[in-house]
Amino acid sequence: MNPGPSPASGKAETSTRRRLLRMSGVVGLFLLSGCTEDVGEELPKNTKWPSAALKPELPVTERTDVLEERIEALADAEITDEDEFGATFDDYALEVEAVEREQNVLSIEYVNAKQYSEGNLHDIAPIAGAFAALLDSGYDVLGLGITVLDGAPASFGSASIEAEWAEAYNDGGLSAKEYGELVATTVESTRRPPEVGVSPRE
């Protein structure tokens, strides 16, 4: 009858196995580090951040800056009637199709030839400035409806300006940025005519 392995020999075997596992782990890490180092040497060094090409050039022009600049550029102009209002935008290359007054609402239609490169705010901002100048001369309306046309021409956008916003800007109650932001909230890319919040009876 063979006696089974003694407790002492079992512990010795377990200890030996652990040593072998530790040694193999150390050897594996050593070999792996060598391979990683070789791969790193084969690749070119990174000389710039991967996202560098995606960063915009500074300083970035914010929407409020565009609104402020273009509103202020025309807010001090001498504009007293519809004809002068429509002729004010030659320097901005706006092709004004019509300026009309119906009851107490003024409307303007213009062609935005740069709709894809600049968008609508670049054009609506000077219109807002000119509208403030028109009201400052004593012209009395309750609002301005803006219809944006494409090259067809067909309506693809609209905006509206309440007279009280322009008057608040003229009186110093609103900054150019605040006035512009109010106007910007009304901009829509639709094919419906603009709507000004004025009752037909007013």
Side-chain angles (χ1 to χ4, degrees):
M1 179 176 176
N2 276 328
S6 66
S9 64
K11 289 180 180 178
E13 289 177 5
T14 302
S15 177
T16 302
R17 285 195 200 112
R18 287 179 181 168
R19 282 199 202 98
L20 289 173
L21 287 172
R22 286 178 189 159
M23 288 299 294
S24 63
V26 171
V27 172
L29 286 173
F30 177 76
L31 293 174
L32 183 60
S33 64
C35 292
T36 305
E37 185 177 355
D38 292 341
V39 171
E41 290 177 354
E42 293 174 3
L43 297 175
K45 292 184 179 180
N46 187 17
T47 58
K48 62 181 181 179
W49 292 102
S51 60
L54 302 178
K55 294 180 180 178
E57 294 183 5
L58 297 176
V60 177
T61 302
E62 296 185 1
R63 180 178 77 168
T64 53
D65 294 332
V66 173
L67 293 168
E68 179 181 38
E69 177 186 349
R70 297 202 170 192
I71 286 173
E72 291 178 344
L74 287 182
D76 294 329
E78 293 290 333
I79 306 172
T80 60
D81 57 27
E82 295 94 338
D83 293 336
E84 291 178 356
F85 180 72
T88 302
F89 310 106
D90 292 341
D91 292 341
Y92 290 89
L94 296 189
E95 300 175 21
V96 177
E97 292 289 312
V99 176
E100 298 177 349
R101 175 172 179 157
E102 184 175 348
Q103 296 182 0
N104 285 327
V105 175
L106 186 66
S107 64
I108 181 172
E109 293 185 358
Y110 77 95
V111 177
N112 182 356
K114 299 181 179 179
Q115 56 181 303
Y116 299 110
S117 60
E118 289 190 347
N120 292 330
L121 284 180
H122 287 73
D123 297 335
I124 290 176
I127 291 174
F131 184 58
L134 179 63
L135 295 184
D136 198 40
S137 73
Y139 190 87
D140 186 22
V141 286
L142 296 175
L144 173 68
I146 303 170
T147 299
V148 187
L149 308 173
D150 57 21
S155 171
F156 75 88
S158 66
S160 62
I161 306 176
E162 302 293 336
E164 62 182 29
W165 301 344
E167 290 167 350
Y169 167 69
N170 289 334
D171 295 339
L174 292 175
S175 67
K177 288 185 178 181
E178 291 168 336
Y179 173 41
E181 283 296 328
L182 286 173
V183 176
T185 61
T186 71
V187 176
E188 295 182 358
S189 293
T190 66
R191 294 187 177 273
R192 294 174 296 178
E195 296 180 1
V196 179
V198 178
S199 170
R201 297 179 180 178
E202 293 184 279

